[in-house]
Amino acid sequence: MYLWIKALHIISLVCWFAGLFYLPRLFVYHAASEDTASKERFCIMERKLYRGIMGPSMIATLVFGLWLLWLSPGFMSQAWMHAKLTFVVLLIGYHHMCGAQVKRFARGENTRSHVFYRWFNEVPVLFLLAIVILVVVKPF
């Protein structure tokens, strides 16, 4: 049972990160677009990605992760797990920042340039590196 839940946790994590990588890239293109049809198309794509893929994937990742912790409570006494969970909480915050930006674009209230979103797009890479290294290497 444990390995099935772990596999589902990893699958949902991959889906979540796919959205976390792609949505800010859509923001880059959206911020650079100038015609109304493109802006409307990006709004639809961003909304569907955030609500249809990213939200459910995040929830599944958290549910399966908590289930794994429940099955192996000894991990909670290890420092690497505390660090990992800190990064997960920060990643959830990033996810919600993306959601707030989806709403700003939908209202036509974006004030940031495509250059900002190019840098914003790199943030989930840092989270992924930190979380994977903590889980695999368990440095402390």
Side-chain angles (χ1 to χ4, degrees):
M1 171 83 121
Y2 179 85
L3 292 177
W4 280 102
I5 297 165
K6 188 174 185 179
L8 292 171
H9 177 64
I10 293 168
I11 291 166
S12 58
L13 175 92
V14 169
C15 293
W16 186 23
F17 266 94
L20 289 170
F21 290 144
Y22 188 50
L23 184 62
R25 178 55 49 184
L26 288 177
F27 294 161
V28 170
Y29 302 138
H30 194 160
S33 68
E34 298 189 13
D35 61 293
T36 304
S38 293
K39 290 180 182 192
E40 289 173 0
R41 187 178 318 110
F42 283 119
C43 283
I44 292 167
M45 292 170 67
E46 291 158 359
R47 185 186 76 245
K48 286 184 176 185
L49 177 61
Y50 186 76
R51 290 185 185 167
I53 296 172
M54 291 173 62
S57 296
M58 178 189 70
I59 291 167
T61 300
L62 297 174
V63 167
F64 292 126
L66 290 171
W67 197 349
L68 288 170
L69 279 176
W70 181 72
L71 290 173
S72 300
F75 283 138
M76 284 307 296
S77 64
Q78 298 178 22
W80 67 267
M81 180 57 77
H82 290 267
K84 175 201 171 193
L85 293 175
T86 299
F87 282 115
V88 170
V89 168
L90 292 171
L91 187 62
I92 292 167
Y94 179 84
H95 174 99
H96 289 292
M97 286 174 61
C98 286
Q101 192 57 46
V102 167
K103 291 177 183 176
R104 276 188 216 100
F105 271 117
R107 292 189 308 258
E109 298 174 356
N110 176 54
T111 58
R112 296 186 170 119
S113 73
H114 66 92
V115 175
F116 170 84
Y117 294 113
R118 287 184 194 282
W119 286 102
F120 187 72
N121 190 42
E122 302 305 322
V123 173
V125 173
L126 301 174
F127 283 114
L128 182 63
L129 287 170
I131 291 168
V132 170
I133 288 170
L134 286 166
V135 171
V136 174
V137 179
K138 297 176 179 62
F140 44 86

